[in-house]
Every structure is written in C-alpha cells, then in structure tokens.
C-alpha cells in the first residue's frame, strides 16, 4: 500500500491487480437500515469529481493503462477512531476485529490473539476497544461524532 496524504491518493495491490483511490471528496455516509444490503454503494461520478483523474496523474504507472472497475467503498470509522476488538455481547463465540487501519492491523491482531488465548500482555484495556462501547449512544451522536472525525482526518479540500 502506498499513500500520498498531501494529495489524498492511495494505491494498493488486490491480488494480480492494482487499485488506485482517492479520498478527495466529501463524506458519503451510509445510513443503517434493514434494507441496506451492501457496504458498496453505486459509484457516483459527480460525487468524486475529478479525484480519480488527479490520482491517476500522480501515479505514472496508471497513466497508460485502462481503468477497470470503479467502486465506492465504505470506510469503516468508529465514533472515537479506535477499532472494535473483542467479543460480541450476547453472541458466544463471535469476536470482532473491525475498523482497523493498515497502520494498526498488527496491534489489533495481537490484541485479539491475546484476548482469545488469554495469554500475553494486552496492548490496550479491553473496554477501550469493546464492540459494545457505543451501545448507550444515540444514533445521532454516533453519526455526528464519526463524521466529525472523518472530516478531521480526510479534509482534503
């Protein structure tokens, strides 16, 4: 994975293919509902504006190759920017390791393994990463807090 924060561009390998992306666009939040069946909404050319063209211009290897599939992938961000790591409340045997960035993946894996095996030192107190820590929060508080953090991290405008 390569990321160019000054231009809100990233590229990474997907099997035998390479992906190119940009977060130089406004937040496009999904609203949870019983009818929501995918974390990949339709790609909206207007919403992404010229972000893909600008990203392609920054990465020479992408300038002369045909573009493949375009997708609008959802970025998993919790209201406190910390991942969800630990057991699911009320569902024995189900554990989470979600909303982790590449930079945190090793620590999240270690935390989860140490929790599951009840061995080693935990890197963070389990309640700080508990998947149920937002249960007392209203949907509005969760939405506003998460969008505020997203804008703070990815304000590329």
């Amino acid at each position: 994975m390569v990321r160019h924060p000054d231009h809100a561009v990233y590229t990474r390998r997907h099997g035998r293919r390479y992906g190119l992306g940009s977060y130089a666009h406004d937040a496009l939040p999904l609203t949870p509902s019983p009818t929501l069946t995918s974390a990949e909404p339709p790609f909206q050319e207007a919403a992404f504006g010229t972000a893909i063209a600008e990203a392609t211009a920054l990465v020479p290897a992408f300038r002369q190759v045909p573009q493949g599939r375009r997708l609008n992938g959802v970025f998993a961000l919790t209201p406190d920017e910390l991942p969800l790591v630990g057991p699911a409340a009320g569902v024995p045997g189900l554990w989470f390791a979600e909303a982790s960035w590449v930079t945190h993946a090793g620590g999240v894996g270690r935390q989860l393994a140490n929790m599951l095996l009840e061995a080693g030192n935990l890197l963070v107190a389990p309640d700080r990463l508990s998947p149920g820590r937002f249960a007392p929060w209203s949907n509005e508080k969760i939405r506003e807090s998460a969008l505020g953090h997203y804008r703070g991290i990815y304000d590329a405008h």
Side-chain angles (χ1 to χ4, degrees):
M1 176 175 218
V2 177
R3 189 169 156 214
H4 194 327
D6 292 342
H7 295 279
V9 171
Y10 61 91
T11 182
R12 65 177 168 227
R13 192 166 181 180
H14 297 273
R16 294 178 47 209
R17 297 180 179 195
Y18 289 90
L20 174 69
S22 174
Y23 44 90
H25 57 79
D26 291 329
L28 301 167
L30 285 178
T31 301
S33 76
T35 60
L36 184 64
T37 60
S38 174
E40 185 183 325
F43 186 86
Q44 301 171 25
E45 197 70 43
F48 292 98
T50 60
I52 299 300
E54 291 174 4
T56 302
L58 284 169
V59 184
F62 288 103
R63 292 180 191 155
Q64 302 300 319
V65 296
Q67 291 185 9
R69 181 172 174 250
R70 291 178 171 215
L71 65 93
N72 176 5
V74 174
F75 179 80
L77 178 70
T78 63
D80 61 5
E81 297 181 54
L82 295 174
L84 304 173
V85 182
V91 185
L94 178 61
W95 288 69
F96 289 94
E98 292 289 333
S100 172
W101 299 10
V102 170
T103 53
H104 305 126
V108 166
R110 181 175 171 190
Q111 178 86 0
L112 182 63
N114 288 346
M115 289 174 75
L116 284 166
L117 298 173
E118 297 179 358
N121 295 321
L122 297 179
L123 301 171
V124 178
D127 59 324
R128 293 273 327 269
L129 305 179
S130 170
R133 68 186 181 271
F134 304 111
W137 291 30
S138 71
N139 288 343
E140 186 61 28
K141 181 177 179 178
I142 289 171
R143 179 182 174 84
E144 289 307 311
S145 180
L147 285 174
H149 285 295
Y150 179 89
R151 290 181 192 109
I153 295 167
Y154 291 112
D155 186 8
H157 297 40

